[in-house]
Amino acid sequence: MTASSPQALHLIARPAGEPKDSDFELRPVPVRELAEGEARVRVSHVSIDPAMRIWMTEQKSYWPPVALGEVMRAAGYGQVVESRNARLPVGTWLSGMTGITEMLYTDGRGLRPVGSGEAPDPARILHLFGATGLTAYFGLKEIGQPKAGETVVVSAAAGAVGSTVVQLAKAWGCRVVGIAGGPAKCAQLIEEFGADAAVDYKAGEVGRALSTACPEGIDVYFDNVGGDILDAVLKRLRMHARVVVCGGISQYNATSAPKGIVNHLALISARARMEGFVVIDYLQRAEEAIAAMAPLVASGRLKGKIDVLEGIARFPEALRRVLSGGNVGKQVLALG
Ligand SMILES: NC(=O)c1ccc[n+]([C@@H]2O[C@H](COP(=O)([O-])OP(=O)(O)OC[C@H]3O[C@@H](n4cnc5c(N)ncnc54)[C@H](OP(=O)(O)O)[C@@H]3O)[C@@H](O)[C@H]2O)c1
Protein backbone atom coordinates (compact mmCIF):
# COMPACT_ATOMS: atom_id res chain seq x y z
CA MET A 1 0.00 0.00 0.00
CA THR A 2 1.48 3.40 -0.94
CA ALA A 3 1.05 6.46 1.26
CA SER A 4 -1.55 7.84 -1.14
CA SER A 5 -3.66 4.64 -1.41
CA PRO A 6 -7.12 5.30 -0.03
CA GLN A 7 -7.84 3.42 3.18
CA ALA A 8 -10.88 2.32 5.13
CA LEU A 9 -11.14 1.55 8.82
CA HIS A 10 -12.57 -1.89 9.66
CA LEU A 11 -13.92 -3.13 12.98
CA ILE A 12 -11.97 -6.32 13.75
CA ALA A 13 -12.80 -6.95 17.44
CA ARG A 14 -15.69 -6.05 19.73
CA PRO A 15 -14.20 -3.65 22.29
CA ALA A 16 -14.29 -4.60 25.97
CA GLY A 17 -14.62 -1.35 27.89
CA GLU A 18 -12.87 1.58 26.23
CA PRO A 19 -12.18 0.93 22.51
CA LYS A 20 -8.51 0.16 21.79
CA ASP A 21 -6.50 0.86 18.63
CA SER A 22 -6.23 -2.91 18.13
CA ASP A 23 -10.04 -3.22 17.80
CA PHE A 24 -9.68 -1.62 14.34
CA GLU A 25 -7.60 -2.14 11.22
CA LEU A 26 -6.84 0.11 8.29
CA ARG A 27 -7.12 -1.68 4.98
CA PRO A 28 -6.63 -0.36 1.45
CA VAL A 29 -9.77 0.39 -0.53
CA PRO A 30 -9.38 -1.63 -3.72
CA VAL A 31 -9.08 0.80 -6.62
CA ARG A 32 -11.10 -0.34 -9.62
CA GLU A 33 -12.91 0.87 -12.73
CA LEU A 34 -16.36 2.38 -12.18
CA ALA A 35 -19.38 0.38 -13.27
CA GLU A 36 -22.12 2.16 -15.23
CA GLY A 37 -24.20 4.26 -12.76
CA GLU A 38 -21.42 4.49 -10.17
CA ALA A 39 -19.43 7.42 -8.83
CA ARG A 40 -16.20 7.57 -6.87
CA VAL A 41 -16.39 9.84 -3.83
CA ARG A 42 -13.46 11.15 -1.83
CA VAL A 43 -14.78 11.26 1.73
CA SER A 44 -13.69 14.45 3.42
CA HIS A 45 -15.10 14.48 6.98
CA VAL A 46 -16.94 12.03 9.24
CA SER A 47 -18.94 12.57 12.40
CA ILE A 48 -17.77 10.84 15.58
CA ASP A 49 -20.85 9.78 17.55
CA PRO A 50 -21.13 8.08 20.95
CA ALA A 51 -23.64 5.65 19.39
CA MET A 52 -20.74 4.13 17.42
CA ARG A 53 -19.72 2.44 20.66
CA ILE A 54 -23.12 0.69 20.74
CA TRP A 55 -22.93 -0.30 17.06
CA MET A 56 -19.63 -2.10 17.89
CA THR A 57 -21.40 -4.43 20.32
CA GLU A 58 -23.81 -7.32 19.64
CA GLN A 59 -26.47 -5.23 21.39
CA LYS A 60 -29.82 -4.78 19.67
CA SER A 61 -30.46 -1.11 18.93
CA TYR A 62 -32.21 0.94 16.27
CA TRP A 63 -29.45 -0.16 13.85
CA PRO A 64 -27.87 -3.63 13.55
CA PRO A 65 -24.37 -4.15 14.95
CA VAL A 66 -21.43 -3.48 12.64
CA ALA A 67 -20.20 -6.96 11.70
CA LEU A 68 -16.61 -7.90 12.45
CA GLY A 69 -14.51 -7.16 9.38
CA GLU A 70 -16.92 -4.50 8.11
CA VAL A 71 -16.01 -0.86 7.47
CA MET A 72 -17.02 1.11 10.59
CA ARG A 73 -20.37 2.85 10.14
CA ALA A 74 -20.31 6.66 10.23
CA ALA A 75 -22.12 9.70 8.90
CA GLY A 76 -19.97 11.88 6.70
CA TYR A 77 -19.63 13.78 3.47
CA GLY A 78 -17.39 13.82 0.46
CA GLN A 79 -16.98 14.97 -3.12
CA VAL A 80 -17.51 13.07 -6.37
CA VAL A 81 -14.12 12.81 -8.10
CA GLU A 82 -15.08 10.48 -10.96
CA SER A 83 -18.50 9.54 -12.26
CA ARG A 84 -20.43 7.31 -14.62
CA ASN A 85 -23.75 8.55 -13.23
CA ALA A 86 -25.39 11.62 -14.84
CA ARG A 87 -27.13 12.48 -11.53
CA LEU A 88 -23.78 12.59 -9.69
CA PRO A 89 -21.51 14.89 -11.70
CA VAL A 90 -17.87 15.36 -10.69
CA GLY A 91 -17.65 18.09 -8.04
CA THR A 92 -20.94 17.20 -6.31
CA TRP A 93 -20.76 17.02 -2.51
CA LEU A 94 -22.70 14.09 -1.04
CA SER A 95 -23.73 13.60 2.57
CA GLY A 96 -24.97 10.47 4.35
CA MET A 97 -23.71 7.24 5.89
CA THR A 98 -20.33 7.12 4.17
CA GLY A 99 -18.54 4.96 6.74
CA ILE A 100 -14.96 5.53 7.87
CA THR A 101 -13.36 5.34 4.46
CA GLU A 102 -11.32 7.73 2.39
CA MET A 103 -12.89 6.48 -0.86
CA LEU A 104 -16.41 5.32 -1.55
CA TYR A 105 -17.97 3.71 -4.64
CA THR A 106 -21.66 4.55 -4.78
CA ASP A 107 -24.70 4.71 -7.02
CA GLY A 108 -25.91 7.60 -4.84
CA ARG A 109 -28.49 5.61 -2.88
CA GLY A 110 -28.68 6.79 0.74
CA LEU A 111 -26.58 9.87 0.00
CA ARG A 112 -27.93 13.39 -0.40
CA PRO A 113 -26.39 16.01 -2.72
CA VAL A 114 -25.40 19.09 -0.71
CA GLY A 115 -24.02 21.38 -3.41
CA SER A 116 -20.99 21.47 -5.66
CA GLY A 117 -17.80 23.48 -5.75
CA GLU A 118 -17.04 25.00 -2.38
CA ALA A 119 -16.63 22.50 0.48
CA PRO A 120 -19.46 22.34 3.01
CA ASP A 121 -18.86 23.66 6.52
CA PRO A 122 -18.58 20.70 8.93
CA ALA A 123 -20.03 22.81 11.76
CA ARG A 124 -23.24 23.04 9.76
CA ILE A 125 -23.51 19.82 7.83
CA LEU A 126 -22.34 17.42 10.57
CA HIS A 127 -23.44 19.45 13.58
CA LEU A 128 -26.15 22.12 13.69
CA PHE A 129 -27.97 21.18 10.47
CA GLY A 130 -26.98 17.50 10.64
CA ALA A 131 -28.10 14.67 12.90
CA THR A 132 -26.76 16.41 16.01
CA GLY A 133 -28.83 19.56 15.55
CA LEU A 134 -31.91 17.57 14.56
CA THR A 135 -31.53 15.41 17.68
CA ALA A 136 -31.41 18.48 19.88
CA TYR A 137 -34.25 20.25 18.07
CA PHE A 138 -36.77 17.40 17.84
CA GLY A 139 -35.86 15.83 21.18
CA LEU A 140 -36.39 19.10 22.98
CA LYS A 141 -39.38 20.36 21.00
CA GLU A 142 -41.37 17.15 20.50
CA ILE A 143 -40.47 15.11 23.60
CA GLY A 144 -39.47 17.81 26.08
CA GLN A 145 -42.17 20.29 24.99
CA PRO A 146 -40.64 23.16 26.98
CA LYS A 147 -42.67 26.26 27.76
CA ALA A 148 -41.20 29.72 28.32
CA GLY A 149 -40.28 30.20 31.96
CA GLU A 150 -39.80 26.50 32.68
CA THR A 151 -36.55 25.06 34.04
CA VAL A 152 -34.71 22.82 31.57
CA VAL A 153 -31.76 20.71 32.73
CA VAL A 154 -29.39 19.19 30.16
CA SER A 155 -26.59 16.65 30.73
CA ALA A 156 -23.41 16.37 28.62
CA ALA A 157 -24.41 20.00 28.15
CA ALA A 158 -21.11 21.25 26.73
CA GLY A 159 -21.12 18.51 24.08
CA ALA A 160 -22.59 18.57 20.59
CA VAL A 161 -26.24 17.70 21.24
CA GLY A 162 -26.19 19.18 24.75
CA SER A 163 -24.85 22.62 23.81
CA THR A 164 -27.44 22.84 21.03
CA VAL A 165 -30.23 21.96 23.47
CA VAL A 166 -28.95 24.57 25.95
CA GLN A 167 -29.02 27.31 23.30
CA LEU A 168 -32.41 26.30 21.85
CA ALA A 169 -34.01 26.18 25.31
CA LYS A 170 -32.64 29.64 26.04
CA ALA A 171 -33.93 30.93 22.71
CA TRP A 172 -37.37 29.49 23.58
CA GLY A 173 -37.47 31.44 26.85
CA CYS A 174 -36.55 28.76 29.39
CA ARG A 175 -34.28 28.88 32.40
CA VAL A 176 -31.44 26.48 31.56
CA VAL A 177 -29.09 24.52 33.77
CA GLY A 178 -26.30 22.53 32.13
CA ILE A 179 -24.45 19.59 33.66
CA ALA A 180 -20.88 19.01 32.47
CA GLY A 181 -17.54 17.66 33.64
CA GLY A 182 -15.03 20.16 35.04
CA PRO A 183 -14.83 23.90 35.68
CA ALA A 184 -13.72 24.81 32.15
CA LYS A 185 -16.77 23.22 30.48
CA CYS A 186 -19.06 24.70 33.15
CA ALA A 187 -17.66 28.18 32.51
CA GLN A 188 -18.11 27.62 28.77
CA LEU A 189 -21.75 26.66 29.34
CA ILE A 190 -22.51 30.00 30.92
CA GLU A 191 -20.19 32.30 28.99
CA GLU A 192 -20.43 30.82 25.49
CA PHE A 193 -23.73 28.94 25.36
CA GLY A 194 -25.76 31.21 27.67
CA ALA A 195 -26.84 28.71 30.36
CA ASP A 196 -28.20 30.31 33.53
CA ALA A 197 -26.30 27.92 35.77
CA ALA A 198 -23.93 24.98 35.46
CA VAL A 199 -23.37 21.87 37.56
CA ASP A 200 -19.96 20.17 37.53
CA TYR A 201 -20.79 16.49 38.04
CA LYS A 202 -17.11 15.65 38.50
CA ALA A 203 -17.05 17.83 41.64
CA GLY A 204 -19.44 15.33 43.32
CA GLU A 205 -22.72 16.01 45.18
CA VAL A 206 -24.66 16.38 41.92
CA GLY A 207 -27.99 16.15 43.75
CA ARG A 208 -27.16 18.97 46.11
CA ALA A 209 -25.78 21.13 43.27
CA LEU A 210 -28.99 20.52 41.28
CA SER A 211 -31.14 21.55 44.25
CA THR A 212 -29.18 24.80 44.49
CA ALA A 213 -29.36 25.46 40.74
CA CYS A 214 -33.05 24.48 40.46
CA PRO A 215 -34.71 25.61 43.72
CA GLU A 216 -38.21 25.21 42.19
CA GLY A 217 -37.44 21.79 40.70
CA ILE A 218 -37.00 20.61 37.09
CA ASP A 219 -39.66 20.78 34.35
CA VAL A 220 -37.70 19.23 31.49
CA TYR A 221 -34.64 17.00 31.71
CA PHE A 222 -32.77 16.29 28.45
CA ASP A 223 -30.79 13.19 29.36
CA ASN A 224 -27.64 12.32 27.44
CA VAL A 225 -25.90 10.31 30.13
CA GLY A 226 -28.22 8.07 32.20
CA GLY A 227 -26.83 6.47 35.39
CA ASP A 228 -26.45 8.39 38.66
CA ILE A 229 -27.10 11.81 37.14
CA LEU A 230 -30.48 10.66 35.80
CA ASP A 231 -31.34 9.32 39.24
CA ALA A 232 -30.40 12.61 40.90
CA VAL A 233 -32.62 14.51 38.47
CA LEU A 234 -35.63 12.19 38.93
CA LYS A 235 -35.77 13.11 42.61
CA ARG A 236 -36.11 16.78 41.71
CA LEU A 237 -38.83 16.71 39.04
CA ARG A 238 -41.71 19.19 39.18
CA MET A 239 -45.33 18.19 38.56
CA HIS A 240 -45.90 17.05 34.96
CA ALA A 241 -42.19 17.10 34.17
CA ARG A 242 -40.87 15.56 30.96
CA VAL A 243 -37.67 13.45 30.81
CA VAL A 244 -36.22 13.20 27.31
CA VAL A 245 -34.20 9.99 27.02
CA CYS A 246 -31.69 10.86 24.31
CA GLY A 247 -28.63 8.83 25.36
CA GLY A 248 -26.85 7.08 28.22
CA ILE A 249 -23.17 7.70 27.59
CA SER A 250 -22.18 6.95 31.19
CA GLN A 251 -23.03 3.30 30.42
CA TYR A 252 -21.61 2.84 26.91
CA ASN A 253 -18.22 1.42 28.00
CA ALA A 254 -19.73 -0.67 30.79
CA THR A 255 -18.24 -4.15 31.06
CA SER A 256 -20.96 -5.43 33.41
CA ALA A 257 -24.75 -4.95 33.31
CA PRO A 258 -25.61 -1.25 32.83
CA LYS A 259 -26.61 0.63 35.97
CA GLY A 260 -30.38 0.95 36.21
CA ILE A 261 -32.29 3.80 37.80
CA VAL A 262 -33.59 3.50 41.35
CA ASN A 263 -35.69 6.67 41.65
CA HIS A 264 -38.24 5.87 38.94
CA LEU A 265 -41.12 6.00 41.44
CA ALA A 266 -40.59 9.78 41.55
CA LEU A 267 -42.27 9.76 38.13
CA ILE A 268 -45.51 8.69 39.81
CA SER A 269 -45.82 11.44 42.36
CA ALA A 270 -44.71 14.05 39.81
CA ARG A 271 -47.15 12.64 37.18
CA ALA A 272 -44.09 12.88 34.96
CA ARG A 273 -43.35 11.37 31.57
CA MET A 274 -40.08 9.74 30.49
CA GLU A 275 -39.75 9.04 26.77
CA GLY A 276 -37.04 7.92 24.43
CA PHE A 277 -36.65 8.91 20.79
CA VAL A 278 -34.33 8.30 17.82
CA VAL A 279 -33.43 11.11 15.47
CA ILE A 280 -33.81 8.97 12.34
CA ASP A 281 -37.59 9.05 12.91
CA TYR A 282 -37.47 12.83 12.28
CA LEU A 283 -35.15 12.98 9.27
CA GLN A 284 -38.04 13.60 6.88
CA ARG A 285 -38.76 16.79 8.87
CA ALA A 286 -35.17 18.06 8.62
CA GLU A 287 -36.11 21.15 6.61
CA GLU A 288 -38.50 22.27 9.36
CA ALA A 289 -35.74 22.14 11.97
CA ILE A 290 -33.20 23.81 9.71
CA ALA A 291 -35.64 26.62 8.89
CA ALA A 292 -36.25 27.18 12.62
CA MET A 293 -32.57 27.09 13.57
CA ALA A 294 -31.11 29.06 10.62
CA PRO A 295 -32.16 32.51 11.92
CA LEU A 296 -30.70 31.68 15.34
CA VAL A 297 -27.44 30.65 13.69
CA ALA A 298 -27.43 33.80 11.55
CA SER A 299 -27.97 36.04 14.58
CA GLY A 300 -25.26 34.28 16.61
CA ARG A 301 -27.71 32.91 19.20
CA LEU A 302 -26.97 29.33 18.14
CA LYS A 303 -23.29 28.47 17.92
CA GLY A 304 -21.91 25.18 16.65
CA LYS A 305 -18.50 24.48 18.07
CA ILE A 306 -16.52 21.69 16.41
CA ASP A 307 -13.42 19.80 17.46
CA VAL A 308 -11.54 18.39 14.44
CA LEU A 309 -8.92 15.64 14.51
CA GLU A 310 -7.07 14.85 11.28
CA GLY A 311 -6.33 11.47 9.78
CA ILE A 312 -8.31 8.26 9.41
CA ALA A 313 -5.85 6.45 11.72
CA ARG A 314 -6.96 8.69 14.59
CA PHE A 315 -10.51 7.31 14.64
CA PRO A 316 -10.02 5.25 17.85
CA GLU A 317 -8.55 8.30 19.59
CA ALA A 318 -11.44 10.49 18.39
CA LEU A 319 -14.01 8.01 19.70
CA ARG A 320 -12.21 7.72 23.04
CA ARG A 321 -12.27 11.51 23.35
CA VAL A 322 -16.05 11.59 22.99
CA LEU A 323 -16.54 8.74 25.44
CA SER A 324 -14.29 10.32 28.05
CA GLY A 325 -15.17 14.00 27.65
CA GLY A 326 -11.93 14.99 25.88
CA ASN A 327 -13.91 16.62 23.07
CA VAL A 328 -14.66 20.33 23.14
CA GLY A 329 -17.73 20.62 20.91
CA LYS A 330 -18.85 18.30 18.12
CA GLN A 331 -16.12 15.73 17.42
CA VAL A 332 -15.30 15.46 13.73
CA LEU A 333 -12.59 13.48 11.94
CA ALA A 334 -11.07 14.95 8.77
CA LEU A 335 -9.92 12.17 6.40
CA GLY A 336 -7.38 11.93 3.64
N1 LIG B 1 -31.49 9.48 20.50
C1 LIG B 1 -30.84 9.89 19.41
O1 LIG B 1 -31.36 9.86 18.30
C2 LIG B 1 -29.44 10.41 19.54
C3 LIG B 1 -28.79 11.02 18.45
C4 LIG B 1 -27.51 11.55 18.63
C5 LIG B 1 -26.89 11.45 19.88
N2 LIG B 1 -27.54 10.82 20.90
C6 LIG B 1 -26.92 10.73 22.24
O2 LIG B 1 -26.68 12.04 22.69
C7 LIG B 1 -25.61 12.02 23.63
C8 LIG B 1 -24.60 13.12 23.27
O3 LIG B 1 -24.02 12.81 22.02
P1 LIG B 1 -23.04 13.86 21.30
O4 LIG B 1 -22.77 13.35 19.97
O5 LIG B 1 -23.58 15.22 21.46
O6 LIG B 1 -21.69 13.71 22.16
P2 LIG B 1 -20.97 14.86 22.99
O7 LIG B 1 -21.95 15.33 24.02
O8 LIG B 1 -20.36 15.85 22.09
O9 LIG B 1 -19.82 14.06 23.70
C9 LIG B 1 -20.11 13.18 24.72
C10 LIG B 1 -19.96 13.88 26.09
O10 LIG B 1 -20.52 13.03 27.10
C11 LIG B 1 -19.94 13.36 28.34
N3 LIG B 1 -19.70 12.15 29.11
C12 LIG B 1 -18.91 11.11 28.80
N4 LIG B 1 -18.94 10.19 29.78
C13 LIG B 1 -19.77 10.67 30.73
C14 LIG B 1 -20.20 10.18 32.01
N5 LIG B 1 -19.78 9.01 32.49
N6 LIG B 1 -21.06 10.94 32.72
C15 LIG B 1 -21.49 12.13 32.24
N7 LIG B 1 -21.11 12.65 31.06
C16 LIG B 1 -20.25 11.92 30.31
C17 LIG B 1 -18.62 14.08 28.03
O11 LIG B 1 -18.76 15.41 28.48
P3 LIG B 1 -18.18 15.85 29.93
O12 LIG B 1 -16.78 16.33 29.68
O13 LIG B 1 -19.12 16.91 30.35
O14 LIG B 1 -18.18 14.64 30.79
C18 LIG B 1 -18.51 14.05 26.51
O15 LIG B 1 -17.95 15.21 25.98
C19 LIG B 1 -25.05 10.61 23.61
O16 LIG B 1 -25.59 9.88 24.68
C20 LIG B 1 -25.57 10.06 22.31
O17 LIG B 1 -25.65 8.66 22.29
C21 LIG B 1 -28.79 10.30 20.75
Side-chain angles (χ1 to χ4, degrees), residues 146-170:
K147 296 174 204 63
E150 287 190 329
T151 296
V152 175
V153 172
V154 188
S155 53
V161 171
S163 62
T164 311
V165 173
V166 166
Q167 296 171 88
L168 287 175
K170 278 305 291 178

Side-chain angles (χ1 to χ4, degrees), residues 47-52 54 62 127 131-132 135-136 155-163 179-182 185 201-202 222-226 229 245-252 276-280 321-331:
S47 168
I48 304 298
D49 293 293
M52 289 170 152
I54 297 173
Y62 54 93
H127 184 6
T132 303
T135 301
S155 53
V161 171
S163 62
I179 305 174
K185 285 194 180 180
Y201 75 90
K202 289 186 176 164
F222 195 103
D223 185 24
N224 287 315
V225 306
I229 295 176
V245 186
C246 177
I249 197 167
S250 71
Q251 308 298 305
Y252 291 175
F277 76 103
V278 181
V279 66
I280 51 178
R321 278 161 74 93
V322 167
L323 295 169
S324 65
N327 61 316
V328 180
K330 168 77 196 170
Q331 187 71 61

Side-chain angles (χ1 to χ4, degrees), residues 136-152 165 169 172 174 219-222 240-244 273 275 282:
Y137 180 87
F138 287 113
L140 183 61
K141 182 168 187 274
E142 299 287 323
I143 316 293
Q145 300 178 5
K147 296 174 204 63
E150 287 190 329
T151 296
V152 175
V165 173
W172 295 343
C174 300
D219 297 290
V220 177
Y221 175 48
F222 195 103
H240 306 295
R242 285 81 69 201
V243 177
V244 183
R273 178 166 55 80
E275 186 176 341
Y282 294 93

